[in-house]
Amino acid sequence: MKKSLFLAIALTLLSALSLHAQSKSWKENHRGNRYFSQGKYAEAVKCYDRALQADTTDARAYFNRGDAYLSQKNVEQAMHDYSKAAHFEKDKRIKAMAFHNMGYVYQATANSQQDIGAKQEALHKAIDFYKESLRNNPKDNGTRYNLALCQKQLKDSQQQQPKSQPKQQSQQKPQQQPQKQRSQKQPQEKKNDPQTQQWLNLSRQAEQQVRKKLNQQRIQRNVGGKNW
């Protein structure tokens, strides 16, 4: 009888402590959101830090802190937090948003790359994250648009690469994997080829459009995703 009573009391205390931690995490999350909406990202990060100290599995705090870090251009830490958010989050809609943001980071990285190999690598990663986002939320048309645009950009970049190797190289046995060889190639523009120039112009226009489109989506997503 005494053991049962002791166990019941212990469970009650643990439940109370858990509720207190959740309450503190919730309060710090909302305090951080207010700072974030004011553009005070460093202060917002401190609030999200305290939320995570209260609850180390708080997916919303990870997601929100990822947004704050990304706004400070701390891409590495933002990606870490989005990954944590996707891992701990049970709501598929929020999980999809975390994967979407990771795709956004890689797509933005691809658009800033001059090296064709680095650009394609970033696009491949963006595509994978967008696909994972859609697995969790198939109705997200914004993610679907970004995925289609990434695939188009990847196809365009591949068409810009030379299709044939010099004769001396073609006579040698390849020693590297095709993916590594492809990542080291640079795009060769044919200035006198109207078709090639047309593809390049379309690619540049697409990159300009995606920056505008993604920036708009980013603002809307941050506003909509901070009511937690």
Side-chain angles (χ1 to χ4, degrees), residues 190 193-205:
K190 299 179 181 180
D193 186 347
Q195 182 65 30
T196 300
Q197 192 61 43
Q198 183 181 7
W199 276 111
L200 292 174
N201 291 337
L202 287 173
S203 179
R204 294 189 184 100
Q205 291 174 8

Side-chain angles (χ1 to χ4, degrees), residues 24-25 27-33 35 41-53 61 65:
K24 182 177 180 181
S25 178
K27 290 179 181 178
E28 291 297 338
N29 254 315
H30 278 265
R31 186 176 288 114
N33 292 347
Y35 279 123
Y41 305 122
E43 294 299 324
V45 167
K46 293 178 183 178
C47 292
Y48 300 138
D49 285 343
R50 289 192 290 269
L52 288 168
Q53 288 173 1
R65 194 174 69 173

Side-chain angles (χ1 to χ4, degrees), residues 110 112-120 182-187:
S112 66
Q113 292 291 336
Q114 298 297 323
D115 177 74
I116 193 67
K119 182 184 183 73
Q120 291 180 356
R182 187 166 59 249
S183 67
Q184 296 173 357
K185 298 300 180 184
Q186 298 293 333

Side-chain angles (χ1 to χ4, degrees), residues 187-217:
Q188 296 182 0
E189 299 186 10
K190 299 179 181 180
K191 296 182 179 180
N192 297 326
D193 186 347
Q195 182 65 30
T196 300
Q197 192 61 43
Q198 183 181 7
W199 276 111
L200 292 174
N201 291 337
L202 287 173
S203 179
R204 294 189 184 100
Q205 291 174 8
E207 290 181 4
Q208 292 174 357
Q209 291 175 359
V210 75
R211 290 191 184 97
K212 294 180 181 178
K213 179 73 176 179
L214 291 178
N215 286 337
Q216 292 173 356
Q217 292 177 353

Side-chain angles (χ1 to χ4, degrees), residues 9-87:
I9 293 174
L11 289 175
T12 301
L13 289 173
L14 288 173
S15 178
L17 289 173
S18 177
L19 288 173
H20 175 73
Q22 291 176 4
S23 176
K24 182 177 180 181
S25 178
W26 185 88
K27 290 179 181 178
E28 291 297 338
N29 254 315
H30 278 265
R31 186 176 288 114
N33 292 347
R34 288 196 294 271
Y35 279 123
F36 185 94
S37 65
Q38 297 169 5
K40 299 178 180 179
Y41 305 122
E43 294 299 324
V45 167
K46 293 178 183 178
C47 292
Y48 300 138
D49 285 343
R50 289 192 290 269
L52 288 168
Q53 288 173 1
D55 182 1
T56 57
T57 64
D58 188 343
R60 309 299 171 89
Y62 277 119
F63 184 95
N64 293 341
R65 194 174 69 173
D67 279 347
Y69 275 128
L70 191 60
S71 298
Q72 293 178 304
K73 302 187 185 304
N74 188 341
V75 176
E76 183 176 356
Q77 188 60 50
M79 290 294 288
H80 171 270
D81 282 356
Y82 289 143
S83 177
K84 286 285 188 179
H87 175 72

